[in-house]
């Protein structure tokens, strides 16, 4: 029977530890662009084979009911009003009356009307520092201060505001304290697996000479190794490497 042991996982962003977990796994919402490194290690004096699974997907529920066969037809940054302004969201087209859904558990912070968005709803996802914006609604079905769950209907899709001459759609936005950001990756309805590690993992935890400097291979990515030198300075080097560039200290097999 295979030996049972615990794997500890540490997630770093730009060198700083941000999440620690054990074999039970964890979910993490990426809020900032950076270099992320996942470090795995078994419990002390234990070892064996193990498999990890990493999936990438949206952090918010798609904000339009599947019953409307919704299609994204307008994207962040596109020109509007003869390019006098940029589009600060995405447009999700669906038949008039299709439910617009809460993207997360949270609280409705504003139900109102404005010139561009027509009938609008703002909501604050629980534990987040951004707000979700729903515009061009035909009908608003929530009120200020109302608690909602992910998937609850906040309104029905229409073409109010400056969308009166367009097909019915939901203008969906994400707003931080610094302003609007691209909401597509928050709701993109695709779950992906990261690119496979193609570097030769047999080279991990081995010492090599590169430019006459001994380095230890710490980790492998899709096409790079992370190495450390005698001063514990780390760097990334491309792979595969050739014998003309690298010499293994322990033996000559690379």
């Amino acid at each position: 029977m295979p030996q049972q042991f615990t794997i500890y996982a540490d997630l770093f962003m730009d060198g700083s530890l941000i999440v620690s977990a054990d074999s039970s796994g964890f979910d993490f919402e990426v809020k900032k662009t950076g270099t992320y490194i996942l470090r795995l290690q078994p419990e002390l004096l234990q070892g064996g084979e193990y498999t990890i699974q990493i999936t990438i997907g949206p952090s918010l529920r798609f904000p339009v009911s599947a019953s409307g066969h919704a299609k994204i037809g307008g994207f962040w940054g596109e020109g509007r009003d003869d390019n006098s302004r940029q589009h600060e969201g995405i447009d999700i087209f669906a038949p008039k009356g299709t439910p617009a859904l809460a993207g997360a558990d949270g609280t409705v912070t504003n139900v109102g009307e404005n010139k561009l968005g027509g009938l609008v709803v703002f909501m604050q996802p629980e534990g987040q520092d951004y707000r979700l914006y729903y515009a061009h609604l035909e009908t608003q079905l929530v009120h200020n201060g109302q608690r909602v769950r992910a998937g609850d209907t906040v309104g029905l899709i229409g073409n109010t505001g400056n969308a009166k001459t367009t097909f019915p759609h939901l203008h969906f936005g994400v707003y931080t304290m610094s302003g609007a950001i691209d909401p597509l990756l928050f709701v993109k309805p695709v779950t992906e697996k990261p690119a496979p590690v193609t570097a030769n993992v047999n080279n991990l935890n081995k010492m090599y000479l590169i430019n006459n400097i001994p380095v230890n291979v710490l980790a492998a990515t899709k096409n790079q190794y992370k190495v450390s030198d005698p001063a514990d300075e780390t760097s990334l080097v491309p792979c595969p490497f050739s014998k003309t560039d690298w010499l293994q200290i322990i033996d000559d097999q690379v």
Side-chain angles (χ1 to χ4, degrees):
M1 181 176 179
Q3 184 178 5
Q4 299 291 318
F5 59 96
T6 300
I7 297 294
Y8 297 99
D10 296 311
L11 183 64
F12 296 83
M13 187 194 76
D14 295 336
S16 298
L17 178 65
I18 51 178
V19 177
S20 291
D22 58 22
S23 302
S24 60
F26 65 91
D27 294 325
F28 176 73
E29 181 178 352
V30 176
K31 297 182 180 179
K32 183 179 179 182
T33 299
T35 299
Y36 291 83
I37 295 176
L38 178 63
R39 181 179 67 189
L40 303 171
Q41 55 188 12
E43 61 182 290
L44 187 64
L45 302 179
Q46 298 293 329
E49 293 187 359
Y50 58 91
T51 301
I52 64 170
Q53 182 176 3
I54 302 175
T55 57
I56 302 172
S59 57
L60 297 176
R61 179 171 181 146
F62 196 70
V64 175
S65 171
S67 65
H69 303 287
K71 180 179 180 181
I72 300 175
F75 295 89
W76 169 269
E78 294 177 340
R80 292 290 189 269
D81 297 334
D82 295 325
N83 290 320
S84 63
R85 62 182 181 89
Q86 290 187 325
H87 193 218
E88 294 188 339
I90 57 175
D91 290 336
I92 306 171
F93 288 82
K96 181 176 289 189
T98 300
L101 308 178
D105 296 350
T107 303
V108 176
T109 57
N110 182 267
V111 177
E113 185 174 3
N114 62 56
K115 183 177 179 181
L116 291 179
L119 299 181
V120 303
V121 170
F122 278 95
M123 68 162 289
Q124 178 89 42
E126 192 173 87
Q128 302 295 349
D129 57 0
Y130 56 79
R131 294 187 300 161
L132 309 183
Y133 178 57
Y134 300 77
H136 306 316
L137 298 173
E138 179 71 16
T139 305
Q140 299 147 314
L141 297 177
V142 289
H143 56 80
N144 289 343
Q146 181 176 335
R147 290 277 301 158
V148 293
R149 305 284 292 179
D152 286 352
T153 299
V154 299
L156 303 180
I157 288 177
N159 59 347
T160 57
N162 69 345
K164 291 180 179 178
T165 60
T166 70
F167 290 107
H169 66 276
L170 172 70
H171 172 93
F172 180 73
V174 174
Y175 283 82
T176 69
M177 294 294 291
S178 301
I181 58 176
D182 187 355
L184 182 60
L185 293 181
F186 287 81
V187 299
K188 186 179 179 182
V190 175
T191 299
E192 302 174 345
K193 292 184 178 180
V197 174
T198 55
N200 186 353
V201 295
N202 291 325
N203 292 320
L204 298 180
N205 299 315
K206 293 183 179 179
M207 296 292 295
Y208 291 86
L209 282 175
I210 179 170
N211 297 328
N212 293 319
I213 299 174
V215 297
N216 183 35
V217 181
L218 302 175
T221 66
K222 179 181 178 182
N223 54 12
Q224 291 180 315
Y225 289 113
K226 181 182 180 182
V227 301
S228 65
D229 62 20
D232 287 331
E233 295 289 335
T234 60
S235 59
L236 295 174
V237 296
C239 62
F241 48 76
S242 66
K243 288 186 178 181
T244 58
D245 299 323
W246 292 66
L247 292 175
Q248 187 172 346
I249 293 176
I250 298 175
D251 59 59
D252 292 332
Q253 301 300 314
V254 177

